């Protein structure tokens, strides 16, 4: 990946020593206890070492920041618990807790009384630096975020900075925190990123598949009862010409009947990494009795949750660029800055979507109602399905109400995907467990559009058009930054 790092950049991951540029809410309790540098040759460290070799000034402080533990914390033995009030304090490790879904979830669980530890390598912040992209919203460092949370709520969130592909690091984090549930968001999650070139395809599958395998081994070795809540994706199923079930389908073939994993037809190296993860998790549930829930999540939209809107320093990231930005979030930002909405191809591509407030709710429900030992449970985690054309029409209508002049452009599809197809995916299991969906509404679109208008000065319009082609992917390292 040296090519990626050959452009001039400087990354400094602070270990909490950097003064905040915003009014800092001082917290006298949470300070880094120890600073360790990860030296193993995981893909992430290789990436960093290459960064250092390639003349850049890259300082990484891998920090284990462990807040004081409550004496009352006992392992939970309950199985079916209410989603709103955990009867006992539960220790939840949120891997990828500095990212879009993970940050919102970590705060939500902390607010609800769970003891939370974030595990994150911060590699996502590095991708942004490498690609020359940025969140629409100005996000604070993870240390400032956590200090602010502690100051506002009195609640500590433990922090382990490192790469889960490094099993020694993960082992230390597991032994130190002793999670009863692990929510695993910590993957390279962009389909376009995985299709830039060979090195990103390899990185994506290595990072995601090995990281998940390590989590499975850590559970087996150090926390047999620990419930794995793994973020999968609806894209694992592809777009078959039959209804999509939740994980399994009962088939009668030549007079015999069986219930089998639903067929997977993923359409990017990223989406395929999730299929490989699912297979590995299913196998270890059978072989080792691991309890796991695979949340096949649809495309997430929105930026505000009850917790992240408590303070500017808690603001979540919102990606709008052509690599990490996702459909509805992108369309809202495009409408706000007068860029035509970028519908790829015919626009009939239909997917499941959900509000980020429902992401955090679904994860909480999954944790409160764990899978049984040996059970590989699959939930389809989305609330509504839309075609890209339908999303563009909704954003156009909402934008016009706010006085924005919104147009749509048909962009030659950079992906290989069906542009007109049947799509009917089941999503009842989380509703049965108590999910109360926030359906896409005019008021949500208004608030997302207003949010985008508020930060429009931060939009780099050069990053909006897609720059990664599924067909043109090659072995030669490619630079995609503008
Ligand atoms: P994100 O990129 O914002 O966050 C992912 C986080 O994981 C980052 O903070 C990153 O630094 C961390 N990470 C990556 N690899 C790691 C590693 N090896 N060790 C430690 N940390 C690592 O992504 P997101 O949008 O929050 O997505 C989170 C999860 O949800 C992903 O698994 C993704 O596939 C899934 N998902 C996301 C969406 C969506 O619309 N955003 C939809 C469906 C599923
Ligand atoms: N699309 C457009 N215009 C755009 C952006 C996207 O037409 O400007 C289309 C894409 O071609 C695709 C659909 O919208 O058909 C969804 O694309 P996306 O970029 O919003 O989402 P996707 O690449 O599928 O990935 C996102 C997350 C990923 C997650 C997935 C859920 O990045 O982590 O797994 O959503 S799902 O789509 O259900 O697989």
């Amino acid at each position: 990946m040296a090519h990626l790092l050959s452009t001039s950049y400087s990354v400094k991951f602070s270990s909490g020593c950097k003064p905040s540029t915003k009014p800092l809410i001082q917290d006298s309790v949470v300070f880094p206890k120890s600073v360790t540098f990860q030296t193993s040759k995981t893909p992430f460290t290789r990436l960093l070492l290459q960064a250092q070799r390639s003349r850049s000034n890259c300082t990484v402080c891998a920090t284990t920041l462990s807040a004081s533990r409550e004496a009352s914390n006992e392992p939970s033995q309950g199985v079916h618990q209410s989603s709103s009030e955990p009867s006992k304090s539960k220790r939840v490790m949120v891997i990828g807790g500095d990212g879009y879904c993970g940050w919102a979830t970590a705060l939500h669980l902390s607010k609800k009384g769970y003891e939370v530890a974030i595990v994150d390598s911060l590699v996502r912040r590095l991708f942004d630096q490498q690609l020359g992209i940025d969140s629409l919203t100005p996000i604070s460092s993870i240390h400032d975020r956590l200090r602010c949370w502690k100051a506002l709520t009195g609640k500590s969130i433990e922090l382990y900075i490192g790469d889960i592909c490094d099993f020694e690091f993960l082992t230390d984090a597991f032994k130190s925190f002793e999670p009863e549930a692990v929510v695993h968001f910590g993957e390279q999650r962009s389909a376009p990123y995985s299709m830039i070139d060979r090195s990103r395809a390899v990185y994506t599958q290595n990072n995601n598949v090995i990281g998940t395998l390590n989590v499975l081994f850590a559970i087996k070795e150090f926390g047999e009862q620990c419930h794995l809540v793994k973020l999968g994706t609806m894209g694992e199923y592809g777009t078959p010409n039959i209804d999509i079930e939740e994980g399994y389908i009962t088939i009668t073939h030549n007079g015999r009947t069986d219930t089998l994993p639903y067929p997977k037809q993923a359409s990017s190296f990223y989406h395929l990494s999730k299929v490989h993860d699912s297979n590995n998790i299913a196998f270890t549930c059978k072989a080792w009795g691991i309890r796991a829930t695979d949340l096949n999540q649809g495309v997430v939209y929105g930026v505000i949750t009850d917790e992240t809107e408590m303070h500017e320093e808690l603001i979540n990231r919102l990606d709008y660029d052509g690599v990490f930005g996702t459909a509805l979030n992108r369309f809202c930002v495009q409408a706000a800055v007068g860029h035509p909405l970028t519908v790829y191809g015919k626009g009939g591509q239909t997917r499941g979507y959900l509000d980020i407030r429902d992401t955090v709710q679904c994860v909480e429900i999954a944790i409160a109602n764990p899978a049984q030992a040996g059970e590989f449970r699959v939930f389809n985690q989305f609330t509504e399905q839309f075609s890209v054309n339908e999303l563009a029409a909704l954003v156009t209508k909402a934008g016009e109400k706010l006085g924005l002049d919104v147009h749509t452009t048909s962009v030659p599809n950079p992906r290989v995907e069906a542009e007109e197809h049947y799509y009917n995916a089941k999503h009842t299991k989380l509703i049965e467990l108590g999910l109360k969906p926030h359906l896409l509404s005019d008021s949500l679109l208004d608030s997302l559009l207003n949010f985008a208008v508020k930060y429009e000065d931060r939009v780099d319009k050069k990053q909006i058009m897609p720059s990664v082609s599924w067909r043109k992917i090659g072995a030669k390292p490619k630079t995609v930054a503008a």
Side-chain angles (χ1 to χ4, degrees):
M1 310 251 321
H3 59 285
L4 258 182
L5 304 151
S6 60
T7 51
S8 169
Y9 77 96
S10 166
V11 186
K12 187 169 168 71
F13 292 154
S14 152
S15 63
C17 40
K18 181 173 87 54
S20 171
T21 49
K22 297 189 189 133
L24 181 66
I25 298 172
Q26 285 295 350
D27 160 34
S28 56
V29 179
V30 184
F31 283 109
K33 270 193 181 161
S34 62
V35 176
T36 50
F37 187 72
Q38 304 298 315
T39 51
S40 66
K41 292 279 176 61
T42 65
F44 174 55
T45 17
R46 269 200 299 274
L47 187 146
L48 290 170
L49 292 171
Q50 282 166 345
Q52 288 166 324
R53 276 202 295 273
S54 65
R55 80 186 160 80
S56 53
N57 167 22
C58 177
T59 310
V60 178
C61 302
T63 307
T64 300
L65 184 152
S66 179
S68 61
R69 290 204 181 162
E70 306 295 325
S72 64
N73 180 43
E74 283 173 10
S76 160
Q77 281 142 27
V79 175
H80 291 280
Q81 296 181 0
S82 134
S83 73
S84 52
E85 284 176 30
S87 57
K88 287 185 187 152
S89 183
K90 265 196 154 190
R91 308 179 61 73
V92 183
M93 176 181 278
V94 181
I95 303 176
D98 186 46
Y100 173 55
C101 300
W103 175 238
T105 303
L107 293 190
H108 180 75
L109 295 175
S110 174
K111 180 80 176 301
K112 289 281 181 171
Y114 291 89
E115 288 212 39
V116 177
I118 286 177
V119 173
D120 202 301
S121 62
L122 309 184
V123 70
R124 180 54 213 284
R125 293 177 186 247
L126 183 61
F127 296 154
D128 287 358
Q129 294 281 337
Q130 290 171 336
L131 298 177
I133 56 180
D134 203 355
S135 160
L136 172 80
T137 45
I139 53 171
S140 296
S141 76
I142 184 67
H143 302 91
D144 287 343
R145 283 175 154 188
L146 295 184
R147 266 192 286 268
C148 179
W149 179 246
K150 169 82 179 173
L152 286 175
T153 64
K155 292 173 186 294
S156 296
I157 293 179
E158 293 190 31
L159 176 62
Y160 299 87
I161 296 182
D163 182 352
I164 61 164
C165 293
D166 175 350
F167 191 64
E168 264 178 60
F169 159 75
L170 188 63
T171 298
D172 286 348
F174 251 76
K175 284 186 175 167
S176 158
F177 184 68
E178 298 175 351
E180 291 156 83
V182 172
V183 189
H184 180 16
F185 292 104
E187 300 203 328
Q188 190 302 98
R189 70 107 176 120
S190 157
Y193 186 94
S194 75
M195 301 300 293
I196 292 174
D197 56 26
R198 185 204 63 86
S199 67
R200 268 70 161 232
V202 170
Y203 171 80
T204 300
Q205 294 216 345
N206 204 66
N207 184 60
N208 296 0
V209 177
I210 306 300
T212 298
L213 261 180
N214 280 349
V215 172
L216 291 166
F217 273 96
I219 292 174
K220 178 176 187 290
E221 295 294 311
F222 314 115
E224 262 187 335
Q225 292 307 313
C226 180
H227 175 208
L228 172 62
V229 177
K230 165 68 170 48
L231 271 291
T233 177
M234 286 300 294
E236 291 183 38
Y237 301 119
T239 53
N241 198 31
I242 56 171
D243 292 347
I244 294 173
E245 304 297 323
E246 295 198 69
Y248 298 91
I249 184 166
T250 301
I251 297 175
T252 300
H253 178 63
N254 292 344
R256 299 183 66 82
T257 299
D258 202 352
T259 297
L260 300 167
Y262 196 93
K264 304 290 174 75
Q265 302 184 77
S267 61
S268 74
F269 289 122
Y270 153 71
H271 286 99
L272 281 159
S273 75
K274 296 288 200 187
V275 175
H276 307 326
D277 282 344
S278 295
N279 287 335
N280 286 341
I281 300 168
F283 168 69
T284 58
C285 287
K286 264 193 213 151
W288 306 336
I290 283 183
R291 54 180 88 227
T293 303
D294 205 2
L295 296 174
N296 281 342
Q297 185 168 238
V299 188
V300 183
Y301 59 81
V303 64
I304 287 173
T305 56
D306 288 348
E307 294 78 24
T308 61
E309 71 175 341
M310 284 169 70
H311 193 279
E312 217 194 345
E313 202 125 31
L314 302 178
I315 203 165
N316 205 346
R317 63 179 311 129
L318 189 77
D319 300 304
Y320 65 89
D321 62 273
V323 176
F324 278 94
T326 50
L328 183 54
N329 288 347
R330 268 166 68 70
F331 287 175
C332 287
V333 175
Q334 291 166 0
V337 299
H339 191 288
L341 310 188
T342 52
V343 169
Y344 298 165
K346 293 182 182 151
Q349 302 94 305
T350 303
R351 303 284 184 269
Y353 288 81
L354 74 163
D355 189 307
I356 190 156
R357 290 172 294 178
D358 290 338
T359 294
V360 305
Q361 216 194 131
C362 290
V363 171
E364 187 196 351
I365 288 171
I367 293 169
N369 301 283
Q372 302 297 322
E375 184 185 6
F376 177 63
R377 197 171 59 164
V378 184
F379 296 160
N380 291 347
Q381 180 168 314
F382 70 96
T383 58
E384 293 171 279
Q385 53 182 60
F386 299 101
S387 71
V388 183
N389 283 331
E390 285 169 336
L391 289 182
L394 288 168
V395 172
T396 303
K397 195 166 139 235
E400 283 169 352
K401 261 198 338 204
L402 295 180
L404 299 169
D405 190 16
V406 188
H407 299 278
T408 292
T409 181
S410 175
V411 176
N413 200 335
R415 306 185 181 201
V416 177
E417 61 184 357
E419 294 175 4
E420 288 171 320
H421 57 90
Y422 178 78
Y423 199 78
N424 184 32
K426 302 280 173 60
H427 55 109
T428 53
K429 290 189 183 172
L430 282 158
I431 303 272
E432 283 160 18
L433 286 173
L435 171 66
K436 304 268 181 297
H438 294 85
L439 299 182
L440 185 57
S441 62
D442 288 352
S443 62
L444 183 279
L445 281 173
D446 280 3
S447 105
L448 201 45
L449 283 163
N450 280 318
F451 212 82
V453 169
K454 179 175 174 193
Y455 291 105
E456 67 179 317
D457 288 351
R458 288 177 51 86
V459 174
D460 177 356
K461 288 191 184 175
K462 295 193 296 302
Q463 301 296 346
I464 289 178
M465 290 303 280
S467 54
V468 180
S469 160
W470 265 226
R471 292 181 199 280
K472 292 188 187 146
I473 185 171
K476 194 164 168 254
K478 203 173 156 205
T479 300
V480 290

